[in-house]
Amino acid sequence: MVSEEILRTHLQELRRGTVVVASLVALRHPDYGYALLQRLAAHGFPVDANTLYPLLRRLEEQGLLTSEWNTEESRPRKFYRTSEEGEGVLRRLLDDLAAVQISVAGLIEGVDR
């Protein structure tokens, strides 16, 4: 029987790559970090804040996200949004994800390519 630690490690690896896709999809509508954490978790992508915030900064540095500060509320919050370039990358990632799903389904069903 596989240990819980081994399973947890592989599940973490599987989700790590999909968090970028999920974040780019979710941030088609502007949101701030904590709200994004909650939204991702509600949709089956539990992410630790120590993972998400560096990811948001990296995606912003890569030009895949834009951000602006909202200072109208009692606490200033940085809102992120998927950029035009981020949309292009997202489309490619979603296409590749769909291709991976088809490939895995083919393996499960025993279909030769």
Side-chain angles (χ1 to χ4, degrees), residues 64-107:
L64 305 181
L65 295 178
T66 60
S67 68
E68 62 182 55
W69 284 95
N70 179 347
T71 57
E72 295 173 8
E73 297 179 22
S74 59
R75 265 184 36 189
R77 291 183 173 155
K78 189 174 187 178
F79 278 74
Y80 295 90
R81 177 182 207 121
T82 303
S83 68
E84 192 173 315
E85 188 174 343
E87 280 290 336
V89 168
L90 176 59
R91 279 191 297 277
R92 297 278 309 271
L93 292 173
L94 289 172
D95 287 347
D96 196 61
L97 183 57
V100 168
Q101 286 181 294
I102 290 168
S103 296
V104 170
L107 285 170

Side-chain angles (χ1 to χ4, degrees), residues 6-41:
I6 290 172
L7 179 60
R8 188 174 24 258
T9 299
H10 287 293
L11 288 172
Q12 183 180 22
E13 287 178 21
L14 180 63
R15 290 182 184 273
R16 186 174 289 139
T18 58
V19 169
V20 170
V21 173
S23 296
L24 290 172
V25 168
L27 291 172
R28 285 176 161 169
H29 304 284
D31 221 341
Y32 60 97
Y34 183 72
L36 178 61
L37 276 172
Q38 292 178 316
R39 187 156 39 138
L40 291 174

